Amino acid sequence: MKKASLKNKQLGMTFIEVLVALFILVTGVLGAVAMQATVKKGSFDAMQRSLASALAQDIIERMRSNDATTLAGYMKTNYGVALDAVPAKRCNTVASICTPAEMVINDTYEWEAELMGANVTQGTVKAGGLVGGRACISNVLNAITVVVSWQGRVDISDSKKANSCGSAGNKRRQVIVEAFIN
C-alpha cells in the first residue's frame, strides 16, 4: 500500500515547479528582448558611422575631380547648419557644362544636402542624412581634412582631442578623413 501511495504522489509537476519553470522562461525571453534592443541601437550607430565615412570620401572625390585651383571654394567650417540656395546653374546633365567654379558651388550644395538629409523626405520633414550632421573642411598645402560630426544615441566621453567641428557633447561622434590633393 505504501508503494501505491508514493507512486501517486510522484505523478505530474507541482505548482511550485511550474512557477519556477515559467519564471526561468520569462527571464530568458526578457533577456532576448533587451538584447534585441541593444543590437538595434548598435546597428543604427554603425549605419550613421558608415554614412559619415561615405560622405567624407564623397566630398574628397568631388574635390579631386575638379580643378585643383578651386580647392579654396570647398573650405568651410559650418556645413550642415543651413542648406544653401539651389545653385543657379545645375551641373547634373550633359547639356549643362559647368566651369570649375560653378562645379564647386554645385558640389557643395549637393554634398551638404546629403549631409543634412534634404534629399530624403517624409512629407516635408528631412528623413535621411546624419542626426545633427555637421561638417568642416580645411586645407593646409593641399592636405585636406574632412571632419564629419553627428549626434549618437547614447552618451560616451567626448574626446578632448576631438576636432571642434559640430556641437561638443557626450553624444558627438566624428569621422576625420585626411587626403592629399594635387
Side-chain angles (χ1 to χ4, degrees):
M1 187 134 167
K2 278 186 172 181
K3 285 185 179 181
S5 65
L6 283 176
K7 187 177 180 186
N8 288 341
K9 287 183 177 181
Q10 303 270 332
L11 294 177
M13 298 177 76
T14 67
F15 186 67
I16 299 292
E17 290 172 327
V18 171
L19 285 178
V20 169
L22 280 174
F23 177 76
I24 292 171
L25 179 67
V26 168
T27 303
V29 169
L30 288 176
V33 169
M35 185 175 61
Q36 181 67 25
T38 302
V39 167
K40 190 170 182 175
K41 285 179 188 176
S43 175
F44 180 79
D45 287 341
M47 186 265 311
Q48 290 280 285
R49 181 171 300 282
S50 177
L51 179 57
S53 180
L55 284 167
Q57 293 297 332
D58 179 44
I59 195 64
I60 288 170
E61 292 308 316
R62 288 174 187 259
M63 287 187 263
R64 281 190 174 137
S65 18
N66 205 348
D67 192 300
T69 60
T70 63
L71 282 179
Y74 290 97
M75 303 308 121
K76 189 173 164 183
T77 58
N78 61 349
Y79 283 106
V81 174
L83 186 60
D84 295 335
V86 178
K89 186 171 185 183
R90 299 290 289 157
C91 305
N92 53 3
T93 65
V94 176
S96 59
I97 304 292
C98 291
T99 67
E102 291 170 329
M103 199 66 184
V104 169
I105 294 167
N106 197 61
D107 283 348
T108 56
Y109 170 77
E110 288 178 356
W111 187 71
E112 190 169 30
E114 289 176 19
L115 175 73
M116 296 174 69
N119 54 352
V120 179
T121 57
Q122 186 174 13
T124 58
V125 178
K126 296 177 203 166
L130 296 170
V131 176
R134 301 286 184 267
C136 306
I137 302 174
S138 60
N139 175 11
V140 177
L141 301 173
N142 291 359
I144 305 298
T145 301
V146 178
V147 180
V148 179
S149 299
W150 71 98
Q151 297 298 309
R153 295 179 65 155
V154 295
D155 285 350
I156 59 169
S157 177
D158 198 6
S159 173
K160 291 177 174 61
K161 296 179 184 178
N163 189 292
S164 63
C165 188
S167 300
N170 287 341
K171 290 191 177 189
R172 176 172 69 172
R173 310 290 194 272
Q174 290 186 322
V175 168
I176 301 171
V177 179
E178 296 175 340
F180 187 79
I181 298 178
N182 289 342

